[in-house]
Amino acid sequence: MQHEIFMQRALELARMGWGTTNPNPMVGAVIVKGGRIIGEGYHKKAGEPHAEINALREAGEGARGSTVYVTLEPCSHFGRTPPCADALVKAGVKEVVIAMEDPNPRVAGRGINALRQAGIKVITGIMEQEARRLNEVFIKYITSDMPFVIWKCAMTLDGKIATANGDSKWITNELSRQYVHWWRYRVSAVLTGIGTVLADDPMLTVRLPHINIEKQPVRIIADSLAKTPLDSNVLNIEQAPTIMATSWSADPSKIETFKSKGADVIITDGKDKVDLVQLMRELHKREIDSVLIEGGPTLAASAIEEGLVDKAMVFIAPKLIGGKGLSALSGNGIARMADAWQLSGVSVKRFEDDVLIEGYLKA
């Protein structure tokens, strides 16, 4: 039970890196000696010292003979920073308790082996499930050539995301919308389609009260024919960086204009359509580890049909529209209920009268 208590604290510390460590994982570390915490640390930002290093600095010489709790296996290689496993050995710690093995192929057990070879006792798997959920984005990103993709939508009780004339402001309440902004802050990028840009002219930025936003997510616009108006909010690069995803069918002069305004342009091979699979692979190459889809029914359906969506976040507001309002998904759909896309690991949250259903799409 003592291990779980201190690991819980390490997980709490790790969450303090929410939104600032991408594409690195969130990691927390706690150093314990004589039953009390003598050092704490978490990974604050990619390129800065890791959690173990920050905790060792706080513990100082007291770290010798201590037990270290860390949410992720200490690294054993030189990346942006020196190996943490070496630092723990040098500090003379007695025991290291680890929540989960690092899925990064460059580490994957090597840090644990280095500690054991130095005579340090290592215990693994303490609160592993919680640690894996915390770093679900990192796990997908580091073990594949794709970012972690979340589809978010807001609908009424009768499954509509907008009225027949396209009005959608606002389906959900302020608390629900604020939660979405927290997730924008968490991810590396927000993706929407040209339909949403033309209808709403969104900014797609993080706007949270009383929070100093150090970074904005990259805005990605799926615009196969380069129809985005040049005065759109998403082409105001001073607000946030923008990637225009288009196809070879787009007007070359319009593409050059996007570039002149400071946007990054990815031209995919799809004819009259953005190839979403190719786009995701290109985003991975740019170290974009996570994408929040906030588009309309066509983009959402395409992403789900291509098997790109890992997690769904569906907000349901206690409102009814009726008539011919827009539904959350279009596309080809499914012919048999037995073939419906199924969510697993479902959880439910409430934001006053709104309900959020979260779950993972089964492969």
Side-chain angles (χ1 to χ4, degrees), residues 125-144:
I126 302 299
M127 300 189 73
E128 180 175 359
Q129 184 176 350
E130 292 85 347
R132 294 185 69 85
R133 180 61 59 87
L134 176 69
N135 275 312
E136 59 191 9
V137 165
F138 175 71
I139 293 170
K140 168 73 181 295
Y141 170 75
I142 206 68
T143 59
S144 72

Side-chain angles (χ1 to χ4, degrees), residues 19-210:
T20 61
T21 65
N22 312 63
N24 285 0
M26 291 179 279
V27 184
V30 172
I31 300 177
V32 177
K33 194 172 185 180
R36 67 182 186 88
I37 296 174
I38 62 170
E40 294 184 336
Y42 70 97
H43 183 42
K44 298 179 180 179
K45 190 176 181 179
E48 293 188 3
H50 289 184
E52 301 94 319
I53 304 303
N54 289 326
L56 286 170
R57 287 174 178 172
E58 187 172 294
E61 289 298 318
R64 187 165 300 279
S66 67
T67 296
V68 178
Y69 293 83
V70 61
T71 58
L72 185 70
E73 175 184 1
C75 62
S76 58
H77 66 287
F78 279 89
R80 289 173 171 152
T81 59
C84 292
D86 290 356
L88 292 171
V89 172
K90 185 177 180 180
V93 306
K94 178 183 66 175
E95 182 180 36
V96 178
V97 182
I98 299 168
M100 63 172 283
E101 185 176 298
D102 194 333
N104 186 343
R106 298 179 67 187
V107 182
R110 292 183 178 88
I112 292 172
N113 290 337
L115 294 172
R116 285 176 172 157
Q117 288 173 5
I120 297 173
K121 181 181 178 181
V122 178
I123 299 173
T124 62
I126 302 299
M127 300 189 73
E128 180 175 359
Q129 184 176 350
E130 292 85 347
R132 294 185 69 85
R133 180 61 59 87
L134 176 69
N135 275 312
E136 59 191 9
V137 165
F138 175 71
I139 293 170
K140 168 73 181 295
Y141 170 75
I142 206 68
T143 59
S144 72
D145 61 353
M146 296 280 191
F148 187 87
V149 179
I150 304 164
W151 168 55
K152 165 259 164 183
C153 80
M155 65 173 66
T156 59
L157 280 176
D158 53 341
K160 304 295 195 302
I161 63 169
T163 63
N165 65 9
D167 183 36
S168 61
K169 292 185 178 179
W170 296 101
I171 291 176
T172 53
N173 62 35
E174 179 64 28
L175 282 178
S176 295
R177 297 197 298 273
Q178 191 172 108
Y179 187 71
V180 172
H181 278 269
W182 275 112
W183 268 100
R184 284 184 185 178
Y185 185 60
R186 166 70 181 94
V187 300
S188 293
V190 177
L191 168 64
T192 197
I194 180 60
T196 300
V197 171
L198 294 176
D200 299 334
D201 192 21
M203 290 190 288
L204 299 178
T205 53
V206 179
R207 299 180 299 281
L208 288 166
H210 314 302

